[in-house]
Amino acid sequence: MLSLRQLQVFLAVIETGSTIRAAEAVSLSQSAASNALSELESRLGERLFDRVGKRLVLNASGRALQPRARALLVQARDAEALFRDGGNQLKVGASTTIGNYLLPRLLGEARGELPCERVEIANTDDIAERMLRFELDLGLIEGRALHPDLVMTPWRQDEMVIVAAPSFKGQSLAHLPWIMREPGSGTRSVVEQELFGTLEGVQPILELGSSEAIHNAVRAGLGVSCLSRHVVQQSLQSGELQVLAPEHSIRRQLYLLRHRQRPDTAAVARFLACCPPES
Amino acid sequence: MLSLRQLQVFLAVIETGSTIRAAEAVSLSQSAASNALSELESRLGERLFDRVGKRLVLNASGRALQPRARALLVQARDAEALFRDGGNQLKVGASTTIGNYLLPRLLGEARGELPCERVEIANTDDIAERMLRFELDLGLIEGRALHPDLVMTPWRQDEMVIVAAPSFKGQSLAHLPWIMREPGSGTRSVVEQELFGTLEGVQPILELGSSEAIHNAVRAGLGVSCLSRHVVQQSLQSGELQVLAPEHSIRRQLYLLRHRQRPDTAAVARFLACCPPES
DNA sequence: TATTATTTACCTGTTTTTTCGATATGGAGG
DNA sequence: CCTCCATATCGAAAAAACAGGTAAATAATA
């Protein structure tokens, strides 16, 4: 049976490129690291690195083993963390709307029941990448992540509504002064897709890089926009903003993002018990 | 860092109920097994068994660890098998239609390219259960498996057609002498659901326990039935059977079944490269 | 109730494995 | 050709794992 330590050395060699630095990284002597690596190779009956000159170059077999080794070590760590104090920590990656608006409210409602967590806000692709590197325990995304090692499961829905200051009244949508997110934003692409028939050819009068900036621009009467209800909820309640054309509201699905090869951490399970999928 | 051997002992103790038999199972001395277990517990800072009398009774912490330990060990074995000769072996569980008709043809077409495989035919529930115990590497099922640790992905489609001997001509479907699978069969439930409107109240004149039996009964002119096109393909080509009411054909989805916590084996990957999802 | 059998946990000496420091080997660069 | 640097190897030392024996605790039995 191969040992976890051998895999640890194997991965360290990949990352550092040499047995010397790998040994340092896992606090071993160089000879021990070299030994662990050769033992792993002989157990598998296959060289994992090509020895070209004095360099170790990962070969096809090594590349095949790498993701499995990583997954094994992460799962071992997770198993230990199950019971240690660190088992309470949870690193969530959330895309902007979720991280800025939805999640704070959920965490507030379940204060105390939720593990001590850390939320990192980034776009969907970044979150997917960090999930792949096991740097995050759970992703909450608005877009899609297509990597075969990532599993998307429907979580909640987000309603995007067209909002404007109260002065705007029942004009045709296409003639309004639109404010939008920058091209490339997931939010913008959803809006363009869903409202395509209505907004064809419309040029936004303003493009802003964040929902909150747009929110403020709309409150200032600069124009109209289509924003998540969660962003503008307060302004709607206070009457500072109104919903235009409610029939054009967009429902979009929000997803949980998990790594296929990593069972839920204890903390992830607790989080999901508090904020289960609703739809 | 906990060791795989400790987990091995832990699982053996669960299965055998005592350190003595566990030691035997993993070829260790009793003292070594007892030691490994206590070391694991002290590393985790948590007792995994309650010592009640001279018995070891798995407690809540132990139950939490168990599935992770199992997954870790299986993955370690898979990683080793990646390169060993055994890495070619593949245990597929297939439900009846797939295992009896579809798979043999696929394997025949890809002869030599596919790893040396072993196909076990069972019903969907059995396959799901064996997947959960890591006794199968891959499932190919016609029905649904709902366990949270099992992942279904669409694979291919199966077309079910209404077939009869050539003597049957354009009568109303409800008035034909129907032959069906026994109640409880997945195939039968699909047929009943899809043809419900047409077949309401119809009593089959015969119920048989296998598709092949029905096939032969239909060929013998005993009646009509709704069978996978794969089952009757040959008889259709030879003109021995005809398709009645093609507009009532049923398409049903076939699924790959995998364990969420187990990355694809090398052999599974090769199998899927040969027989990829088509729809 | 006393006795026997069984099982866990611990102790001790021994064996095996792992690790270390030093050294041999071998390509890369001046 | 010689020096630099990294890997691989070797013997010694350290650490870990091991087997066998044994005490304590409990269940079963007389």
Side-chain angles (χ1 to χ4, degrees), chain B residues 36 126 149 195 233 276:
Chain B
D126 285 345
D149 280 350
L195 298 183
Q233 190 170 42

Side-chain angles (χ1 to χ4, degrees), chain B residues 157-163 173 178 190-196 198-199 225-230 232 236 242-253:
Chain B
Q157 290 195 338
D158 181 30
E159 186 186 6
M160 302 195 64
V161 293
I162 301 173
V163 290
L173 288 184
W178 280 89
V190 166
V191 171
E192 282 182 335
Q193 272 188 337
E194 294 286 329
L195 298 183
F196 185 77
T198 342
L199 292 187
S225 189
C226 187
L227 291 172
S228 164
R229 187 179 278 278
H230 294 107
V232 293
L236 290 176
Q242 60 167 333
V243 174
L244 291 186
E247 72 278 10
H248 281 110
S249 296
I250 301 169
R251 299 199 73 83
R252 66 172 167 174
Q253 187 66 51

Side-chain angles (χ1 to χ4, degrees), chain A residues 93-110:
Chain A
S95 47
T96 50
T97 307
I98 298 175
N100 286 321
Y101 301 97
L102 193 52
L103 212 44
R105 189 167 334 138
L106 285 173
L107 297 179
E109 282 170 11

Side-chain angles (χ1 to χ4, degrees), chain A residues 97 156-160 228-230 250-252 254:
Chain A
T97 307
R156 310 219 164 177
Q157 289 195 338
D158 181 31
E159 187 186 7
M160 303 196 62
S228 164
R229 187 178 279 279
H230 293 108
I250 301 169
R251 299 200 73 82
R252 66 171 166 175
L254 307 179

